[in-house]
Amino acid sequence: MQHLKILLASRSPRRRELLTQLGLHYQVIDVEVDESIVQPILPEVYAKEISEKKALMALANSEICVSEREILLTADTTLSVDGEIIGKPKDLQDYLQMMKKLSNRTHQVFTALTLVGKVDGEEKFVTMLSETAVQFSLLPEQFVRAYWQSGEPADKAGGYAIQGKMAGYIQSIKGSYSGVMGLPLFELREALEVFDHYI
């Protein structure tokens, strides 16, 4: 396992933390993709499409070369309420609307991950998806506004971080905690096994 190197096409510090948690060696690479949502699309389909799009964009970079030992990892986290995709908040007003939709309700978090490597010299794509139901209690207006001021919601799908200040309002979670953070570790372990790498 020590010989495996993950090429992480993500700027997310949470994904880096999760790879470190598993003791995986990784290198961060930069990938820019258009993540605009063309409705109607199922949130789980959207998450998979964006994850695979990131992988294709990364592979188009001539400096990135996958092998049996160097595996590309991309991921996308998409949040939805009643099938409607909730992206990252554009501004305060957008964020306040999101919080109204999420308050005192259960929403779904879909995280897709894509691994690209080689098996017996042949390039192989593996995409996996985790789905988690997250239930919020009632979100007080005072907390919602203070939370925005903290800066934490700005770059997060759904405008919150499960491991941050919102944790006190999460009543229950059914599914993958690491998936809500941005990288489902159970699915990652399963995907790595396709490439004969075991954690």
Side-chain angles (χ1 to χ4, degrees):
M1 196 63 197
Q2 65 270 24
H3 303 302
L4 172 66
K5 182 178 177 184
I6 300 284
L7 303 171
L8 176 65
S10 172
R11 294 194 191 109
S12 163
R14 276 84 53 198
R15 290 185 182 129
R16 293 200 295 270
E17 279 168 33
L18 289 164
L19 288 178
T20 301
Q21 184 182 318
L22 290 186
L24 291 168
H25 177 53
Y26 64 88
Q27 174 191 336
V28 176
I29 56 176
D30 227 9
V31 176
E32 286 282 348
V33 296
D34 177 10
E35 294 187 30
S36 53
I37 302 157
V38 181
Q39 301 273 21
I41 185 171
L42 290 169
E44 57 268 44
V45 172
Y46 172 80
K48 282 180 174 177
E49 279 188 3
I50 296 295
S51 182
E52 288 173 355
K53 198 172 171 183
K54 288 175 181 175
L56 291 169
M57 287 293 284
L59 291 170
N61 181 337
S62 58
E63 289 171 25
I64 294 165
C65 192
V66 297
S67 66
E68 269 85 359
R69 291 291 173 192
E70 294 205 346
I71 295 178
L72 174 68
L73 167 61
T74 60
D76 182 72
T77 300
T78 299
L79 189 143
S80 79
V81 178
D82 296 333
E84 179 197 351
I85 294 172
I86 311 287
K88 295 172 185 174
K90 297 181 192 78
D91 52 32
L92 174 61
Q93 284 312 114
D94 192 31
Y95 161 78
L96 292 173
Q97 285 300 315
M98 276 181 194
M99 292 301 108
K100 276 184 187 168
K101 286 176 184 172
L102 299 179
S103 180
N104 210 25
R105 300 202 50 190
T106 299
H107 60 270
Q108 273 63 44
V109 179
F110 297 93
T111 297
L113 66 85
T114 301
L115 289 185
V116 189
K118 286 191 175 176
V119 177
D120 298 327
E122 295 290 316
E123 195 168 275
K124 191 172 182 72
F125 261 71
V126 176
T127 297
M128 293 200 173
L129 180 77
S130 92
E131 176 181 354
T132 304
V134 181
Q135 185 180 354
F136 278 7
S137 64
L138 193 66
L139 300 176
E141 176 87 9
Q142 190 178 358
F143 165 75
V144 166
R145 290 187 174 272
Y147 188 44
W148 176 260
Q149 292 303 320
S150 77
E152 196 173 275
D155 65 337
K156 316 278 191 311
Y160 77 93
I162 194 169
Q163 75 282 12
K165 294 180 175 69
M166 184 62 86
Y169 291 93
I170 295 171
Q171 200 166 323
S172 70
I173 168 172
K174 187 178 180 184
S176 170
Y177 182 87
S178 57
V180 181
M181 273 183 75
L183 188 63
L185 299 184
F186 180 84
E187 284 77 6
L188 175 62
R189 191 263 310 158
E190 284 196 316
L192 282 170
E193 288 179 8
V194 175
F195 295 91
D196 269 343
H197 290 290
Y198 299 89
I199 295 168

